[in-house]
């Protein structure tokens, strides 16, 4: 199954915590929560096969925005994928926020993933492409 999510990828940030009445509550920072909620809302009407009790292979391509303060030549290099994002956001944090957003929608728990591949690219239209397959031995 292939899905293109037309939302700018956001990396998972450290969770925030608050304490009230002797209880500690841990929550996602607002930017991450908004991203996860947006992904879930986009996929609500998307024809999705929900995977359960199977091992999964996942391939993800994150398309990040090109910075505005670069030369035209460098912009062309980035958009043609000759130069790829090698700085922040970290690819593992991008994966974490996406996979958590897909919990309960595409799979019960992202622990079902036994193999994952991920890439970062630049794009004028930031988005994420994800391919999910049942693992075959």
């Amino acid at each position: 199954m292939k899905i293109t999510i037309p939302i700018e990828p956001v990396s998972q940030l450290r969770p925030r915590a608050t304490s009230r009445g002797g209880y500690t509550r841990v929550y996602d920072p607002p930017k991450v929560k908004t991203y996860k909620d947006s992904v879930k809302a986009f996929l609500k009407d998307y024809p999705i096969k929900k995977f359960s009790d199977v091992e999964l292979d996942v391939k993800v391509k994150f398309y990040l925005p090109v910075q505005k303060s670069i030369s035209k030549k460098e912009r062309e290099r980035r958009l043609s994928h000759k130069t790829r994002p090698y700085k922040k956001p970290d690819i593992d944090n991008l994966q974490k926020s996406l996979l958590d957003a897909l919990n309960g929608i595409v799979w019960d728990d992202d622990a079902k993933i036994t193999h994952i591949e991920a890439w970062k690219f630049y794009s004028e239209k930031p988005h994420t492409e994800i391919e999910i397959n049942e693992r075959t031995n």
Side-chain angles (χ1 to χ4, degrees):
M1 175 172 63
K2 293 183 181 181
I3 303 170
T4 299
I5 302 169
I7 300 167
E8 182 177 333
V10 171
S11 68
Q12 182 68 42
L13 301 173
R14 293 186 187 274
R16 305 293 188 251
T18 184
S19 179
R20 291 190 184 176
Y23 295 98
T24 301
R25 182 179 149 251
V26 179
Y27 61 95
D28 280 329
K31 183 176 180 179
V32 176
K33 182 175 179 358
T34 300
Y35 169 73
K36 290 178 181 180
D37 291 345
S38 298
V39 169
K40 288 179 183 192
F42 171 75
L43 294 174
K44 187 175 77 172
D45 298 325
Y46 203 90
I48 292 177
K49 172 189 175 185
K50 187 172 181 179
F51 296 94
S52 59
D53 292 329
V54 294
E55 296 178 30
L56 299 173
D57 283 338
V58 175
K59 295 180 183 177
V60 186
K61 293 181 181 177
F62 296 102
Y63 291 86
L64 305 171
V66 180
Q67 296 85 347
K68 296 185 188 323
S69 61
I70 57 173
S71 67
K72 287 183 182 180
K73 184 176 179 181
E74 180 58 23
R75 181 176 188 77
E76 289 172 17
R77 290 183 52 74
R78 291 179 183 196
L79 291 175
S80 66
H81 307 306
K82 290 178 183 170
T83 301
R84 304 246 307 263
Y86 61 92
K87 295 184 180 180
K88 293 193 180 281
D90 295 353
I91 200 164
D92 58 324
N93 292 328
L94 289 168
Q95 289 178 58
K96 179 72 176 146
S97 62
L98 174 66
L99 301 180
D100 284 351
L102 299 178
N103 279 340
I105 297 173
V106 177
W107 44 65
D108 298 325
D109 187 2
D110 55 356
K112 305 267 190 259
I113 300 169
T114 58
H115 179 86
I116 188 165
E117 296 178 35
W119 300 268
K120 295 190 300 185
F121 299 97
Y122 287 112
S123 175
E124 288 185 345
K125 295 182 180 179
H127 64 283
T128 303
E129 295 174 359
I130 184 167
E131 182 180 338
I132 307 157
N133 295 300
E134 288 185 28
R135 183 144 176 86
T136 56
N137 294 329

